[in-house]
Amino acid sequence: MKTTNKFAASLFILISLNTVSAQYGNNGYGNNGYGRNNGMNQMGSMSQRSEPEKPKEIPVEEIVAKYMEDMKPALGLDELQTIAISNVLVESVNAQGRISKLNLSQEDLMNEYKLLSESTDRKIINYLNKDQKDKYLVFKEELKQPKKSKEKKKKKDKTLENKDK
């Protein structure tokens, strides 16, 4: 009787192990058993985790729109000028992307960017009248200043407005 109980218990354990193993894909239920990731899924998920995420690229139109948002009121541009200058800026941003992909030394890259900037400025200035040209030069100088000085200027403007009231 004891051997029969041992045999029954062993048989029960073997059947249980087989059932558990089948549920996890080792036998039965095909290649994708319950809870089993096949090798391809494991490799795919591992490669996804190990690759650093690339920063999301901002569309060129969005970059230009933000720049034009500041430039249009500063220079008093009309719609035709806005469209023409936007097109010049889109072309310039695309060229910057192409330049950055070139295998050039740091000095050569800086020279290429400088040439592109000068070319872009000439094209923009062609669309402006005399008064706007002066405003454009001031606008460019303000862009070169650090943000802190811009914030101080805004605060000064606000305090002057409050004193006038």
Side-chain angles (χ1 to χ4, degrees):
M1 183 102 161
K2 288 184 180 183
T3 55
T4 312
N5 286 341
K6 287 182 183 180
F7 179 74
S10 298
L11 185 62
F12 176 74
I13 291 173
L14 284 174
I15 291 173
S16 298
L17 288 175
N18 190 28
T19 303
V20 168
S21 131
Q23 288 180 351
Y24 288 98
N26 294 330
N27 291 319
Y29 295 110
N31 286 335
N32 291 324
Y34 297 125
R36 177 176 178 201
N37 290 327
N38 63 16
M40 192 63 123
N41 287 340
Q42 287 177 347
M43 294 301 289
S45 64
M46 288 176 68
S47 66
Q48 287 175 352
R49 282 188 225 125
S50 65
E51 291 179 15
E53 289 187 29
K54 293 181 181 179
K56 189 175 182 181
E57 289 188 25
I58 301 171
V60 174
E61 291 78 14
E62 194 173 313
I63 295 169
V64 171
K66 185 164 177 76
Y67 189 74
M68 290 303 295
E69 209 173 88
D70 296 333
M71 183 189 274
K72 187 175 178 179
L75 303 182
L77 300 175
D78 63 28
E79 287 303 312
L80 187 59
Q81 288 174 318
T82 302
I83 292 168
I85 292 172
S86 294
N87 289 337
V88 169
L89 292 173
V90 166
E91 181 183 317
S92 176
V93 171
N94 288 333
Q96 286 176 7
R98 287 190 299 274
I99 290 171
S100 66
K101 292 178 183 174
L102 296 175
N103 291 329
L104 298 175
S105 68
Q106 191 71 21
E107 186 177 323
D108 290 340
L109 279 174
M110 294 306 292
N111 289 335
E112 288 292 323
Y113 284 129
K114 186 176 179 183
L115 290 172
L116 177 63
S117 175
E118 291 170 358
S119 170
T120 302
D121 285 344
R122 279 194 305 268
K123 289 177 184 177
I124 289 173
I125 287 174
N126 286 335
Y127 292 112
L128 303 176
N129 62 37
K130 186 177 181 352
D131 184 40
Q132 289 172 328
K133 289 176 185 178
D134 296 333
K135 289 179 183 178
Y136 178 69
L137 296 175
V138 171
F139 177 76
K140 280 195 61 161
E141 286 301 317
E142 287 178 358
L143 286 178
K144 291 179 183 178
Q145 294 176 358
K147 289 185 178 183
K148 290 182 181 177
S149 63
K150 288 180 186 177
E151 290 173 2
K152 287 180 183 177
K153 183 179 176 185
K154 286 181 183 178
K155 286 181 182 178
K156 286 180 184 177
D157 291 343
K158 286 183 181 179
T159 55
L160 290 174
E161 288 175 9
N162 290 337
K163 287 181 182 178
D164 291 341
K165 291 181 182 179

